[in-house]
Structures are given as C-alpha cells and as structure tokens.
Amino acid sequence: MKKIVSIVFIILFFFSSSYASFKVSLKQYLEKNNIEDGSTQIYLLNRCSAVYTYASAILLETDKLNSKNFIEISNNLLFKAMELMIIEEEEKKLEQAQKKAEDIRKKMFDEYIIEGKKNWEKNKSHFKGSFISEDMLICSNLVEGED
C-alpha cells in the first residue's frame, strides 16, 4: 500500500511541477517563477514548442509555408528543452529526454487545442482574446532573441 501511495505522490508531483500551471498565461507563470531556474527554462521551452505546434496546426490548411516554419521552430525549441533536461540532469539519456519532452509537448498541445476551441466559440479566433496570443508573443520574443 505504501508503494502505491508513493507512486501516486510521484506522479502528482511530476504533473504539478511541469504541467499544472497551464491554465495561466506564460506571462503569469514567468512572473511567479525564477527564469534563472533550469526547470522554469525547460517549462518555457516545452510550452513554446507546444504553442508553435498549435499555431502550425491552425495554419496548415491556409498557410503551408508559415505552418512549416512554425513546426521547425517548435522542433528547435523542443530540442533545446531536451538538451537542458540533460544538462540539469532531469534525464540522463537523450532518448529519455526526447520521450519526456515529446510527451509534455503533446499534453500541452492538447490543452492549446481545448483552449483554442473555447476561444473560437467565444470570438471566432483561435488566438485573440486568450492567453494563447500572450503565449505566442512571449515565445516569439524568445525565438527572435536566438538570432
């Protein structure tokens, strides 16, 4: 029984630290967390990867060139998250870091889809009037800073 409780606690801890704050904008998350902390940076990279994946999916039918550009940006951000996971020793091997980062991005992407649909129902926009547009702005500044 203690083993089951321990496993549940570990799972809850993992999801609470890397995922539970998704209902707030990235701006709010960064205001409450130290950007110098490796786990905050990993979260930022994963979330930006997810929002660029979401933007790519939205544009896929109407603007293939930008959709492709966004998915390339997303993959670059995901790779940086994997590298940082290894540096911060959250994961020891590249394959483990890749799987973990991809799983987190998928969950975050799914959340963006849910929030985007809710926003579409409210104002016929996937981005405007929601935290998704704020997240895109923060992430675009992050990406521009890499050049």
Side-chain angles (χ1 to χ4, degrees):
M1 185 66 174
K2 285 184 180 181
K3 189 174 185 178
I4 293 172
V5 171
S6 296
I7 292 171
V8 170
F9 178 75
I10 291 169
I11 291 170
L12 289 174
F13 177 76
F14 169 74
F15 282 112
S16 68
S17 65
S18 66
Y19 186 65
S21 57
F22 195 85
K23 295 296 181 182
V24 299
S25 72
L26 203 43
K27 180 181 177 187
Q28 291 170 317
Y29 177 84
L30 293 173
E31 287 171 354
K32 294 178 183 174
N33 293 276
N34 182 2
I35 192 64
E36 299 298 321
D37 185 40
S39 62
T40 302
Q41 293 172 10
I42 292 167
Y43 180 87
L44 173 64
L45 290 165
N46 280 320
R47 187 141 167 191
C48 287
S49 177
V51 79
Y52 270 98
T53 301
Y54 175 72
S56 174
I58 296 299
L59 293 175
L60 187 59
E61 295 298 317
T62 59
D63 189 349
K64 290 188 188 307
L65 180 61
N66 276 321
S67 177
K68 181 181 179 220
N69 290 338
F70 283 173
I71 206 66
E72 286 176 11
I73 292 168
S74 172
N75 288 336
N76 288 337
L77 291 166
L78 189 71
F79 186 74
K80 289 178 189 323
M82 292 184 309
E83 287 179 321
L84 195 52
M85 283 179 190
I86 293 168
I87 291 168
E88 292 289 317
E89 295 189 33
E90 282 190 18
E91 296 296 333
K92 300 284 186 202
K93 295 183 179 178
L94 180 62
E95 296 81 18
Q96 292 170 328
Q98 181 178 4
K99 178 161 180 22
K100 183 176 179 180
E102 287 172 350
D103 289 347
I104 292 169
R105 176 173 67 178
K106 172 72 172 117
K107 289 174 183 148
M108 289 180 169
F109 172 73
D110 290 344
E111 286 295 322
Y112 277 119
I113 289 172
I114 291 167
E115 293 301 318
K117 285 180 181 178
K118 287 180 193 174
N119 202 56
W120 181 263
E121 290 172 8
K122 278 193 251 178
N123 64 16
K124 301 299 182 215
S125 173
H126 294 282
F127 300 95
K128 292 179 184 174
S130 74
F131 69 85
I132 300 172
S133 63
E134 292 177 19
D135 289 3
M136 279 298 296
L137 180 62
I138 289 171
C139 293
S140 67
N141 288 331
L142 176 68
V143 170
E144 286 173 12
E146 293 177 354
D147 294 337

